[in-house]
Amino acid sequence: MKLRTIGCVELNSIGMGMQTADEMVKAANVELVLAKTTCPGRYLIIITGDTGAVTSSVNTGLALGADLVVDSFIIPNVHEDVIPAMNGTAIHGRINALGVIETYTAASCVLAADGAAKAGDIRLLDLRLSAGLGGKAFVVMTGEVSAVQSSVDAGVANVSDGGPVVSKIVIPSPSEDLKKHLL
């Protein structure tokens, strides 16, 4: 599947999340990329399609979810590394410096990952969205130290008004022991 624009609605209710996912798909010509429960009792919906359709679908989700919406986004031309990192299918090679951005919502972490990937010559290794993390999410990237640092900074800046960033870390030369536990 060639992704163009992606949109997300993250809700604080599983039942309302399922209903919202259904209504979002019915509202416009979009395809579900992800519709699942996350911690702590949230529901995450990510869709893809043309920008107009994704915008219409997300607006439907925001209206239906109302006060139960935790976070949301629309990313036109999502970076090609974001979905593989989210699905655990990112291609891993040599690990140089490591960058980690940790956020309080899954939606804000996807925004951070997209901003980081677009900002520098880095590879996204992993994008974990709230499962078993108490609602938090994180993205891990690798590259040369300066590229990782600028990508981490750009990723954090891309979150803007989304959920707050918990931490941003750059590890210039991770140990071999740590590298074994990353993948």
Side-chain angles (χ1 to χ4, degrees):
M1 163 180 33
K2 174 85 170 115
L3 296 176
R4 304 163 299 269
T5 297
I6 64 171
C8 172
V9 177
E10 184 176 355
L11 296 109
N12 222 4
S13 166
I14 294 165
M16 181 55 78
M18 289 179 185
Q19 181 181 3
T20 300
D22 183 60
E23 291 297 326
M24 287 173 66
V25 171
K26 290 175 180 174
N29 185 20
V30 296
E31 183 180 340
L32 276 174
V33 173
L34 189 81
K36 70 174 194 169
T37 58
T38 63
C39 292
R42 293 183 182 164
Y43 200 84
L44 182 65
I45 306 157
I46 298 179
I47 53 157
T48 187
D50 293 329
T51 303
V54 169
T55 300
S56 176
S57 180
V58 167
N59 287 339
T60 296
L62 294 173
L64 184 60
D67 292 341
L68 295 174
V69 174
V70 174
D71 205 351
S72 66
F73 66 72
I74 296 171
I75 304 174
N77 300 314
V78 66
H79 191 278
E80 64 187 20
D81 289 354
V82 172
I83 299 302
M86 183 187 312
N87 291 336
T89 59
I91 296 175
H92 303 288
R94 184 169 182 265
I95 295 177
N96 297 330
L98 283 177
V100 181
I101 302 171
E102 179 183 4
T103 64
Y104 279 112
T105 66
S108 61
C109 196
V110 175
L111 285 170
D114 185 63
K118 289 176 177 172
D121 185 18
I122 57 103
R123 285 181 297 115
L124 298 180
L125 297 175
D126 197 4
L127 178 52
R128 299 276 176 99
L129 301 178
S130 306
L133 300 171
K136 295 190 290 183
F138 66 91
V139 60
V140 180
M141 65 200 78
T142 189
E144 297 302 321
V145 176
S146 60
V148 169
Q149 183 64 62
S150 64
S151 289
V152 165
D153 292 342
V156 168
N158 206 45
V159 171
S160 62
D161 294 332
V165 173
V166 177
S167 66
K168 61 176 193 158
I169 306 294
V170 175
I171 303 170
S173 183
S175 70
E176 292 303 317
D177 281 347
L178 178 60
K179 288 178 189 179
K180 286 188 271 186
H181 291 277
L182 292 174
L183 307 175

